[in-house]
Amino acid sequence: MKFDLIRLKSGMDTYIPIDLTYSFSKEELKDTEIISLENVSIVGEITKNSFDEYEVSAHLQGTMVLPCSVTLKPVNVPFDVEMEQNVSDFIEETGEKSIICENTLDIFPIIWENILMEIPMKVVSDDISDRTLSGNGWKVISGNEEPEKNPELEKLKDLL
């Protein structure tokens, strides 16, 4: 996702249009929970502000496949992100100096960072209702359920 900045640097153009559809490889996804991430639509532009800094504005849209937190079955999770990123600030925050090289700008790390921020902490499949949520001596307690009180511990309460 490299873009030539010569026309923008010289003032011939006021922006560089971005209109891509990108599918991430297994190698790019290896250190994440994402099972697959294909056909991500990236539409936006690269501009130069009054401080001669480059800015990337884009709309990211796609569907990531993540494992269910309970069953580990693949779950489709759609995302839709509006992002604006100053390239200088991004380099300062991440230390990723390789994204800009003389007359080219690689926006992949910026796009990737914004997609990673969209990964939910917990994904639960819609067909979870047919799963056993209790067993011999255990059960899953939801957040609004009051746990059963142990009668032996209740006796200790009287001593205190």
Side-chain angles (χ1 to χ4, degrees):
M1 290 191 220
K2 294 184 179 183
F3 290 89
D4 188 11
L5 300 174
I6 292 175
R7 293 182 64 90
L8 196 59
K9 274 185 173 182
S10 65
M12 294 173 73
D13 291 334
T14 57
Y15 69 94
I16 299 171
I18 303 170
D19 191 2
L20 303 168
T21 300
Y22 189 79
S23 293
F24 291 81
S25 69
K26 293 287 183 191
E27 183 67 27
E28 292 166 335
L29 301 174
K30 75 177 181 178
D31 292 332
T32 66
E33 291 184 17
I34 302 173
I35 296 169
S36 76
L37 184 58
E38 297 178 357
N39 300 324
V40 176
S41 171
I42 306 164
V43 178
E45 61 186 25
I46 301 169
T47 58
K48 190 172 168 185
N49 66 18
S50 59
F51 299 111
D52 286 338
E53 297 173 332
Y54 298 103
E55 295 182 349
V56 178
S57 302
H59 179 86
L60 312 174
Q61 189 173 18
T63 302
M64 60 180 82
V65 180
L66 298 169
C68 173
S69 297
V70 178
T71 64
L72 297 178
K73 289 182 183 177
V75 178
N76 291 335
V77 179
F79 64 92
D80 194 348
V81 181
E82 287 290 335
M83 60 155 272
E84 288 192 30
Q85 183 71 54
N86 182 303
V87 174
S88 299
D89 292 345
F90 181 80
I91 292 171
E92 188 177 308
E93 291 169 9
T94 62
E96 185 82 36
K97 295 180 188 220
S98 63
I99 68 169
I100 193 160
C101 181
E102 285 201 34
N103 295 325
T104 60
L105 174 64
D106 184 7
I107 64 168
F108 178 81
I110 297 170
I111 301 297
W112 182 237
E113 183 84 17
N114 280 275
I115 290 173
L116 288 178
M117 289 192 298
E118 292 300 310
I119 298 175
M121 293 183 73
K122 184 176 182 180
V123 177
V124 180
S125 176
D126 291 336
D127 63 347
I128 193 70
S129 61
D130 64 346
R131 291 302 277 181
T132 304
L133 298 178
S134 64
N136 188 10
W138 68 273
K139 71 176 184 173
V140 175
I141 300 173
S142 66
N144 57 3
E145 219 175 289
E146 193 69 32
E148 292 179 20
K149 296 187 179 181
N150 186 335
E152 298 300 319
L153 292 175
E154 289 297 314
K155 293 177 187 175
L156 287 174
K157 194 191 243 184
D158 294 337
L159 293 175
L160 298 173

